Each structure stands twice: as C-alpha cells, then as structure tokens.
Amino acid sequence: MKQQLSFFAAAASIAMLSGAALGAAPTSVSINIPVTELHYGPTGVSDGVHGELMAAPAFGDLAHGAHGTFIKMPAGFVSKVHTHTGDYWGVVISGVAVNGKPGSADVPLPVGSYWLQKGGERHVTKCISPNECIFFISQHAKFDYVLEDASK
C-alpha cells in the first residue's frame, strides 16, 4: 500500500502567484521571466530535518497536467524513497544534486547536469551542496509524490 501526498493546495497557491501569463493555457506571445520575478510557494514535501521543497511555476500547473517548474531544495535535504506517476526531466540550476535508486552510489550532478526520472521507479533525490539546490523540471503529466509504505 502506498501513501500519496497531495500537491493540490500548494499548487493552487502557486498557480495564483503565477499570473495569467504562466497558466496552463498556451499563449500566443513570448514570455520572459527574470529570476527575481519567480514566485516560490510551499509544496508540503519535507525531509523533516532541512525544510520544505518550494516550487515556482514557469508554465502549466504541476497539480493538473503538463508543466515546467523550478524547485528549491534546502542544502542537505534527502527525500524519502518515493515514485512519481509520470516521467520527468530535471536540470540542475544551482547547487549539487543526486537522484538515484535507493542504496545506489551517489553520482553528483553539478550545475548544468540533467536527469530523466522514469515514472513508477523508486528513487531518492538529494541536495549535497552546502547551499540550496535549484532544479528545473519538465513533465507531461501532473506532479505527484508517492511515498513507499513505511510498514514494508
């Protein structure tokens, strides 16, 4: 049995912050968003030690469908073992990340590194740098965070 954390409340607040230009509907105009204008909101995902993941929309809505989202992960953060329903692609914008199967050797992913996370595959994501990590993720499906059942 798996436990699923809901992103709907957090995504709703992020969607409100994003404005009409960043909504899920396609736009007929080009958009430029300076980093100083990204609006991060809580996701409800925490490792219980280092803090909570924060998310800022670039396009779409992570709770309802295809999206591009910036994720801030606190320094030292180590996720619980989890899966996502859909595949997603990640690029490291700042910090040094790790994304791999539970128990695998850490492969440091410095700025500019890329990973593909297959949907349904158990994994752990970490920020191993002394400063926070920022990733950009792109996904064709809504984002979810499905925890493994702790009783297994």
Side-chain angles (χ1 to χ4, degrees):
M1 180 179 203
K2 295 188 179 196
Q3 175 186 21
Q4 184 171 355
L5 295 178
S6 171
F7 280 90
F8 294 114
S13 65
I14 291 168
M16 287 187 295
L17 292 171
S18 70
L22 301 177
T27 180
S28 61
V29 297
S30 297
I31 298 170
N32 295 293
I33 307 168
V35 67
T36 56
E37 294 182 19
L38 291 175
H39 299 285
Y40 285 88
T43 64
V45 176
S46 173
D47 68 355
V49 177
H50 299 94
E52 183 175 3
L53 299 183
M54 303 294 280
F59 65 87
D61 180 345
L62 71 126
H64 296 102
H67 65 97
T69 304
F70 291 92
I71 302 289
K72 278 188 184 181
M73 179 179 276
F77 188 101
V78 177
S79 75
K80 294 174 174 59
V81 177
H82 65 282
T83 63
H84 305 282
T85 301
D87 299 352
Y88 79 87
W89 296 261
V91 176
V92 180
I93 306 297
S94 69
V96 180
V98 169
N99 190 74
K101 293 180 181 179
S104 66
D106 286 353
V107 175
L109 300 170
V111 171
S113 297
Y114 161 87
W115 77 86
L116 164 62
Q117 182 56 60
K118 297 299 290 175
E121 184 176 71
R122 299 170 65 242
H123 65 284
V124 173
T125 307
K126 305 175 184 179
C127 179
I128 62 170
S129 56
N131 54 305
E132 74 183 2
C133 293
I134 299 178
F135 318 127
F136 182 79
I137 63 170
S138 180
Q139 189 173 29
H140 294 299
K142 74 177 184 174
F143 189 81
D144 58 4
Y145 184 84
V146 183
L147 292 174
E148 233 177 32
D149 183 355
S151 66
K152 281 186 175 180

